[in-house]
Amino acid sequence: MKTSPKTRYALLGLLTLGPASGYDLKRLIEASLRNFWNESYGQIYPVLKELAAAGLATSRPDATQGRRARKVYTLTAAGRAALHAWLAEPVEPQPARLEILLKLFFGRHAGPAVNRRHLEQFRARNLAGMAQMDGIQAELQREYPRHLDLPYWLLTIDYGRRLDRAAVEWCDAALASLPASARQRPAETDRQ
Amino acid sequence: MKTSPKTRYALLGLLTLGPASGYDLKRLIEASLRNFWNESYGQIYPVLKELAAAGLATSRPDATQGRRARKVYTLTAAGRAALHAWLAEPVEPQPARLEILLKLFFGRHAGPAVNRRHLEQFRARNLAGMAQMDGIQAELQREYPRHLDLPYWLLTIDYGRRLDRAAVEWCDAALASLPASARQRPAETDRQ
DNA sequence: CGTGTCATGTAATCAGTTACATGATTCA
DNA sequence: TGAATCATGTAACTGATTACATGACACG
C-alpha cells in the first residue's frame, strides 16, 4: 500500500453518493468537505488507480463523444466493506499546528499593532466561516430535504459554526485584554 | 533554505527565553506549546544547525564533564530580527483535516453505535483538554506571575479552553440529535 | 482566435515522523 | 547490572502540494 489511507477512505465515502470521476470527486470535496478536508489532484488520481487495483472500485471509460476520456469510478461491495471497517475504527487525536497561536505566544516581541492585526484578521475569517455555514445549511436543507445523509452533513456544519463562533469570541476577549495602542514598543532586548 | 520555515521560527521564538540545546527545546515545546504545536528531533536538530549556519543563532559546546557533548544555542540579533519579521507577516489560513468530521459525514454508513462511540471519545478528549488548560493556567500564574510573556501565554491557553468547550457542547448536541439505537430514525421532521 | 472549463496524469519537491545508531551518567 | 534519562544526529519513509505536460471543446 503506497498512498495515504485517509485519502482512500475520503474517496470511498464520496463514492457512496454515486459513481464519479477524479475531477468530479475534487469538485465534490470542494463543495461538501471543504471545511474540514481537502485533497489535491496529485493525491486523487493515484489513489483512485489504487482503489481500482485493490478491487474497492471499478473504473469504466466514459467516452462522451469528443471530450478527453473520462474515467468513472464505481464503489464495489469490497469498497463499501472497507469503508465500513474504517468508519468503525477509533479516531486518533491529531496534533494541530496553529500558526496564529504560535505568533501570539511570542506576541510580546511583535508589538500590540501586529497582534491586533492578526486577531482582527482571524476574527474576520471565522466570522465569514460562520456566515458560510449558515448559507450551506440553508442550501442543504433546501436541496436535499429528505436525503438520508442530511442529518450527518448538518452535524459537520454545526461543528464548523460552533468552533468559528468560539474563535470569534476568543478574538474579542483577546482584543479587549491586549494593550490598545503602540504605547509600548516591541521588546528589543529581554531576559525577563 | 531547506528546512521548514515554521519550525525555524518556533525555535527562534523559544530561544528568546534563553539559550537552550535541541533537547531542551524539545522539552520546552512539550511543556508550553503542546496544545497547538509540536516538533520532532528529526526536525529540531537539522533546523538548529541551519540557524547557526545562517547566523540566526550561535552554538557553543557545553561540556558538563562526562555527559555527551551538549550544544547550547543562543539567539543572535539577526535571529531576533528574523523572528520579528516573521511575527509581523500575516497568518495564512491553514486547511484542516479533521478525521472525526470525515467519519461523521459518512456516519449513516457506520450505524448509531459507532457514531456515538466516536462522539463520546471526542467529548472525553476535549473535556480533558479543558481541565488541562485550567491546570496549566494556574501553574503559569503561580510560577511566572510577573513574566512579561505571561499575558500572551494565557491567551493561547484561553483559546484552547474555549475551543475545547465548544467541541464538548457540539458533542452533546450531536449525541442528543443522533438516534440512540439502530432502529430509530434521526430526530429530524419526517414528512414524505 | 483565445480564454475558460473539462479532464487526466506524472515528477519534483516539501514537510514531517519514525526508526535507527550511538553512548555516557544516574540510580535502584 | 540494568533501566531511565540525558543527548545528538542521520536515514528511510510517509504524506501531501505544486508544477508541469497534454489536449479537446464551448463560447464569445
Side-chain angles (χ1 to χ4, degrees):
Chain A
M1 304 269 160
K2 276 198 141 165
T3 50
S4 155
K6 290 183 185 177
T7 295
R8 177 162 34 239
Y9 297 113
L11 298 186
L12 286 176
L14 289 172
L15 286 177
T16 63
L17 301 173
S21 69
Y23 193 83
D24 294 339
L25 289 167
K26 173 71 168 159
R27 280 188 314 175
L28 260 176
I29 289 164
E30 242 124 62
S32 59
L33 310 183
R34 193 178 37 213
N35 292 290
F36 57 89
W37 207 261
N38 67 338
E39 299 289 351
S40 61
Y41 286 122
Q43 287 275 102
I44 291 173
Y45 286 116
V47 169
L48 238 23
K49 205 179 207 174
E50 202 196 85
L51 289 180
L56 304 182
T58 56
S59 100
R60 79 180 127 79
D62 179 47
T64 329
Q65 193 55 322
R67 286 247 175 90
R68 178 164 181 172
R70 258 165 69 87
K71 276 191 198 167
V72 174
Y73 290 83
T74 306
L75 200 58
T76 64
R80 203 170 281 274
L83 175 66
H84 291 177
W86 173 74
L87 285 173
E89 267 169 39
V91 178
E92 296 303 320
Q94 303 153 94
R97 290 179 81 143
L98 301 178
E99 197 182 328
I100 189 170
L101 291 193
L102 191 62
K103 283 193 169 158
L104 240 40
F105 190 88
F106 302 123
R108 178 166 67 88
H109 303 282
V114 163
N115 293 323
R116 299 190 78 81
R117 183 152 39 79
H118 289 325
L119 282 165
E120 268 149 19
Q121 193 188 70
F122 190 64
R123 186 186 192 280
R125 199 129 70 206
N126 282 280
L127 207 57
M130 283 173 67
Q132 198 187 47
M133 293 303 143
D134 291 338
I136 295 173
Q137 171 168 2
E139 191 196 319
L140 286 175
Q141 282 169 332
R142 193 179 61 239
E143 299 284 324
Y144 310 99
R146 270 186 287 279
H147 200 292
L148 288 173
D149 286 317
L150 182 64
Y152 299 94
W153 297 347
L154 292 179
L155 241 41
T156 69
I157 299 294
D158 188 43
Y159 179 91
R161 184 172 26 227
R162 285 174 187 268
L163 268 84
D164 283 345
R165 177 160 46 229
V168 167
E169 287 166 2
W170 170 74
C171 287
D172 290 336
L175 284 165
S177 83
L178 282 180
S181 76
R183 276 263 317 162
Q184 34 182 223
R185 276 175 300 141
E188 287 303 324
T189 54
D190 35 87
R191 213 78 56 221
Q192 62 208 105
Chain B
M1 307 259 163
K2 277 199 143 162
T3 49
S4 156
K6 291 184 185 178
T7 295
R8 176 161 35 241
Y9 297 113
L11 298 186
L12 286 176
L14 289 172
L15 286 176
T16 63
L17 301 173
S21 67
Y23 192 84
D24 294 339
L25 288 167
K26 173 71 169 161
R27 281 187 314 173
L28 260 175
I29 290 164
E30 241 125 62
S32 59
L33 310 184
R34 194 180 33 214
N35 292 291
F36 56 89
W37 206 261
N38 67 337
E39 299 288 352
S40 61
Y41 287 124
Q43 286 275 100
I44 291 172
Y45 286 115
V47 169
L48 238 24
K49 205 178 208 176
E50 202 196 87
L51 289 179
L56 304 182
T58 56
S59 97
R60 81 180 127 79
D62 180 46
T64 329
Q65 203 35 4
R67 285 249 177 88
R68 176 162 182 173
R70 259 165 67 87
K71 278 192 196 168
V72 173
Y73 290 82
T74 306
L75 200 58
T76 64
R80 202 170 284 274
L83 175 66
H84 291 177
W86 173 74
L87 286 173
E89 268 170 40
V91 178
E92 297 302 321
Q94 304 154 92
R97 290 180 81 144
L98 301 178
E99 198 182 328
I100 188 171
L101 291 193
L102 191 61
K103 283 192 170 160
L104 241 40
F105 190 87
F106 300 123
R108 179 168 67 88
H109 302 282
V114 163
N115 293 324
R116 298 191 80 81
R117 183 152 39 81
H118 290 325
L119 282 165
E120 269 150 19
Q121 192 189 70
F122 190 65
R123 186 185 191 283
R125 198 129 72 207
N126 281 282
L127 207 58
M130 283 173 68
Q132 196 187 46
M133 293 303 142
D134 291 339
I136 295 173
Q137 172 168 1
E139 190 196 319
L140 286 175
Q141 282 169 332
R142 192 180 62 241
E143 299 285 323
Y144 311 99
R146 267 185 281 280
H147 200 291
L148 288 172
D149 286 317
L150 182 64
Y152 299 94
W153 297 347
L154 292 179
L155 242 40
T156 68
I157 299 294
D158 188 42
Y159 179 90
R161 183 171 28 225
R162 285 174 186 268
L163 268 83
D164 283 344
R165 175 159 47 229
V168 167
E169 287 166 3
W170 170 75
C171 287
D172 290 337
L175 284 165
S177 84
L178 281 180
S181 82
R183 230 159 265 272
Q184 291 169 272
R185 301 189 50 143
E188 300 294 311
T189 47
D190 204 340
R191 41 199 146 79
Q192 280 288 5

